[in-house]
Amino acid sequence: MNNRRTHRIVAMDICQSHPNKKSYDTDAYYAKLANQLLDDFKQLRLDFGKQTSAIMRYSAILLANYMEDIVADSGQWRSFSSLSQQMFGQAVPMYHDIDTEYYPDEPSFEAVRFIVWHAATEMDDIWWNADDGSLREMARVAFDRLDKTFEQAPINEELSNDISIMLRRAGEDFQKMRSALIWIFMDCYLTRSYAAEKLIEKRIKEADSMSNMMPEDSMKVYYAIMHSIFAYKVGPLAIETKEYIAALMRTKSMLREAQAMMDIEVLPMSYYKYTVEDDGQWLQMLRTNGEKIRVARDEMTLDDMELRQHDGCCAIFVKYLGTWHLNGIIIPVKDIASHWDDFVKDDPDYKAEGKRDVTGEMLLERSGGKEILYFYDLDEMKSYLMKNMGYRPEHFDFLKEQDLTGKHPLLFIDKNAKKYALHFSFGFTPCIADPSNPYYDVAVARKEAIEMFWNDKSISTEAILYLLEHNYIPDIYNDPLLSQMSSPEEKQSDARFLLRYMRRENY
């Protein structure tokens, strides 16, 4: 997705968003349209700092992709808009014009504004204000051109057909399903992002530490991609790749296939004991958390000798269409029984004898029903935790390790959590207009409250959703990151969208 170049737009830039990066006869037209948009933007003589050229160029490419998509009604924008309507009650995030009729298969000024805002945010290191005048000017000239050329633009029927074929095949085959997820994660114009690229790079570096198990670079890349397409949220809506594919399927009336996508089950990389059944066609596998699965012999990428030389492995498995499949690489283990107890203790689900998960329900009993508590300083919070939550002094070592300090910390209890229900937050207490919070400071809140949306290390998503639900952070609605042209109800929806957008894979 490296679109930070500033030269003219070519057909290859348009093909980037197609399934398998396929070229079509219409590519030249849409590349020309993208360059016309780019010239329109340059004539505005706007200044976005050092990223001016990158913002204009990427906006032009995305808008050409958008035009190609809606002219062919290939389903990409239609799915995105439908999801936005379901999730936020708005057909287009951030921008709403009740005086204008909206159709997902025709150019929309609101959609164009959103795409320009999204492109600017992708290309820069800042969050762009929703009502930024320069971005609005870009959207205005872009919409004028798209609206005037809509009726004459060539219909890329092949794109629409290829997406339909890809979806049908994905609904029938595990390998084809993964190919569709890869397209959503890495290439689709509405869902690809630099954040996704960085996640893959992070996983490749992780694989470098296991070079004895993955000696080839191609194996590391394969592992990274196969992990990422199932593990992370994607795109502006911060949803799983399978959710967006399912939405695309629904636009094509592939309801059975969409449900199959939503039923996908993923087991994270774990250690397994296995035994080969007598007929040699199946393996019975026991995971370190006690779960048992049955996997076809053909799924294991080991020859017969390797398979019988080992009795365990480390791998990721995905259940699709009722069958478990190996996802990515497999690391075979010999004599796993001698290491089994250690592997079990390292499992995230492991609980020592006599231990139990600390649930939200349990913590609420100890807090007297309070879901959020505010403290003057760290010492007061520690005293409360030792008295009411059974903490001991050594339990606070994590505060030092993570450098979690600051005046007026707070505790939030996620009442629905089955474990990890207690959340700590430092630094944002003055931004919370809870009547029971004695430290609320409206001047601080107006300046800093919006920072909660991206700072997931200082406050959890669950805590922010609680604050939004109770209207305890009203000062965010006056922040220019949210469009001030929206109604109070629209701003509330936009805030929920922005929280997803800014946190992405950490939502």
Side-chain angles (χ1 to χ4, degrees):
M1 181 191 147
N2 184 13
N3 287 306
R4 292 183 183 269
R5 298 165 296 173
T6 58
H7 52 262
R8 302 294 284 176
I9 296 163
V10 297
M12 187 181 301
D13 296 307
I14 304 301
C15 295
Q16 171 70 34
S17 72
H18 299 158
N20 299 316
K21 299 181 175 62
K22 183 177 177 180
S23 61
Y24 298 109
D25 291 342
T26 55
D27 291 343
Y29 174 88
Y30 287 103
K32 180 180 178 181
L33 175 63
N35 281 308
Q36 290 171 334
L37 289 166
L38 185 58
D39 289 338
D40 292 340
F41 297 155
K42 289 179 178 178
Q43 290 176 17
L44 293 173
R45 299 187 180 279
L46 302 174
D47 185 4
F48 299 111
K50 63 180 181 180
Q51 296 301 336
T52 298
S53 295
I55 289 172
M56 290 182 175
R57 189 175 190 278
Y58 195 50
S59 296
I61 291 171
L62 290 190
L63 288 167
N65 290 146
Y66 164 73
M67 184 71 156
E68 178 185 40
D69 168 23
I70 62 172
V71 168
D73 199 10
S74 73
Q76 297 173 78
W77 176 264
R78 184 184 288 275
S79 301
F80 180 87
S81 183
S82 176
L83 285 167
S84 179
Q85 184 69 48
Q86 294 169 27
M87 296 167 70
F88 313 112
Q90 308 292 341
V92 180
M94 304 292 288
Y95 300 103
H96 324 289
D97 186 350
I98 60 174
D99 296 326
T100 303
E101 286 190 276
Y102 168 79
Y103 301 100
D105 57 348
E106 295 181 8
S108 156
F109 183 52
E110 293 86 353
V112 170
R113 288 191 73 187
F114 170 75
I115 290 171
V116 170
W117 173 84
H118 169 59
T121 305
E122 274 287 295
M123 290 294 108
D124 212 343
D125 297 325
I126 65 170
W127 302 106
W128 281 88
N129 293 343
D131 294 328
D132 181 85
S134 295
L135 296 183
R136 183 183 178 87
E137 278 298 288
M138 284 180 62
R140 181 186 59 79
V141 299
F143 174 72
D144 286 346
R145 181 170 291 278
L146 299 187
D147 190 47
K148 289 175 183 176
T149 59
F150 178 67
E151 296 294 337
Q152 291 77 41
I155 301 173
N156 188 351
E157 294 181 354
E158 283 188 86
L159 172 63
S160 185
N161 290 337
D162 283 345
I163 289 177
S164 295
I165 291 169
M166 175 186 68
L167 296 176
R168 280 197 296 271
R169 290 175 176 172
E172 300 168 353
D173 179 81
F174 175 71
Q175 304 292 346
K176 299 297 184 182
M177 178 271 290
R178 289 195 303 182
S179 295
L181 296 188
I182 291 170
W183 173 65
I184 291 295
F185 195 84
M186 300 181 67
D187 295 321
C188 174
Y189 79 98
L190 283 169
T191 52
R192 69 188 183 214
S193 68
Y194 281 112
E197 291 181 1
K198 293 298 182 184
L199 289 170
I200 291 176
E201 291 174 7
K202 179 181 178 181
R203 286 295 168 180
I204 292 174
K205 290 180 181 178
E206 176 184 86
D208 285 338
S209 65
M210 300 184 287
S211 56
N212 59 320
M213 302 174 184
M214 289 181 272
E216 299 177 8
D217 289 344
S218 59
M219 188 179 293
K220 296 172 185 176
V221 172
Y222 180 68
Y223 157 78
I225 293 174
M226 292 305 108
H227 171 89
S228 298
I229 60 175
F230 289 104
Y232 299 122
K233 306 289 179 65
V234 67
L237 300 180
I239 59 176
E240 295 180 32
T241 49
K242 70 175 185 179
E243 293 181 80
Y244 192 81
I245 286 288
L248 261 173
M249 288 172 164
R250 287 191 289 270
T251 67
K252 305 278 187 176
S253 299
M254 301 179 188
L255 303 185
R256 178 188 61 81
E257 293 87 345
Q259 187 58 54
M261 290 297 302
M262 295 305 295
D263 290 342
I264 287 174
E265 184 179 347
V266 181
L267 299 180
M269 182 163 275
S270 306
Y271 283 96
Y272 294 84
K273 289 180 182 179
Y274 66 75
T275 56
V276 183
E277 292 190 345
D278 292 341
D279 61 4
Q281 300 302 306
W282 294 91
L283 278 73
Q284 292 289 350
M285 311 195 72
L286 174 65
R287 189 178 162 199
T288 47
N289 69 350
E291 183 174 1
K292 296 178 181 179
I293 62 173
R294 189 168 181 257
V295 178
R297 163 67 184 92
D298 293 344
E299 286 293 322
M300 310 298 279
T301 54
L302 303 171
D303 61 36
D304 288 343
M305 181 177 294
E306 287 178 310
L307 189 68
R308 296 188 183 277
Q309 282 179 342
H310 300 85
D311 58 353
C313 66
C314 184
I316 300 171
F317 289 97
V318 174
K319 190 175 186 180
Y320 185 53
L321 299 175
T323 303
W324 287 104
H325 301 269
L326 174 69
N327 183 52
I329 67 163
I330 181 172
I331 302 170
V333 179
K334 281 186 178 181
D335 189 22
I336 197 170
S338 63
H339 308 285
W340 189 249
D341 288 344
D342 292 331
F343 290 152
V344 168
K345 291 177 182 177
D346 288 338
D347 191 289
D349 295 331
Y350 173 73
K351 290 188 288 289
E353 188 175 347
K355 298 287 186 179
R356 59 174 179 163
D357 289 326
V358 179
T359 66
E361 184 179 4
M362 182 191 306
L363 291 176
L364 282 177
E365 290 178 5
R366 297 178 181 180
S367 72
K370 294 181 179 179
E371 294 179 66
I372 192 165
L373 302 104
Y374 308 95
F375 302 94
Y376 176 74
D377 57 18
L378 199 57
D379 289 337
E380 186 181 14
M381 185 183 76
K382 287 181 178 180
S383 177
Y384 178 88
L385 288 169
M386 288 189 288
K387 180 180 178 181
N388 297 79
M389 302 294 182
Y391 270 61
R392 296 192 297 271
E394 60 268 24
H395 291 159
F396 298 108
D397 290 343
F398 78 95
L399 295 172
K400 298 176 183 177
E401 295 170 2
Q402 301 181 36
D403 192 29
L404 296 177
T405 58
K407 197 172 184 180
H408 307 322
L410 68 82
L411 300 178
F412 170 71
I413 297 172
D414 182 357
K415 64 181 180 181
N416 299 315
K418 301 303 181 184
K419 58 181 179 179
Y420 311 126
L422 188 61
H423 302 184
F424 298 82
S425 180
F426 298 84
F428 289 119
T429 299
C431 300
I432 300 171
D434 179 352
S436 67
N437 176 18
Y439 310 113
Y440 172 61
D441 186 325
V442 65
V444 173
R446 288 174 178 170
K447 182 179 179 182
E448 300 179 6
I450 199 67
E451 291 185 23
M452 287 190 285
F453 277 48
W454 62 263
N455 194 339
D456 59 297
K457 295 187 182 302
S458 294
I459 188 165
S460 70
T461 298
E462 293 80 3
I464 295 181
L465 290 172
Y466 171 86
L467 297 174
L468 286 171
E469 180 183 352
H470 290 79
N471 198 30
Y472 286 165
I473 44 176
D475 299 284
I476 63 168
Y477 298 121
N478 294 318
D479 192 281
L481 280 178
L482 293 169
S483 177
Q484 297 306 297
M485 302 300 292
S486 298
S487 69
E489 293 76 17
E490 289 168 343
K491 285 183 181 180
Q492 291 173 12
S493 297
D494 295 341
R496 291 177 181 274
F497 163 75
L498 196 61
L499 178 63
R500 284 179 170 269
Y501 188 93
M502 297 175 85
R503 296 201 169 203
R504 298 287 181 95
E505 74 280 357
N506 295 321
Y507 181 85

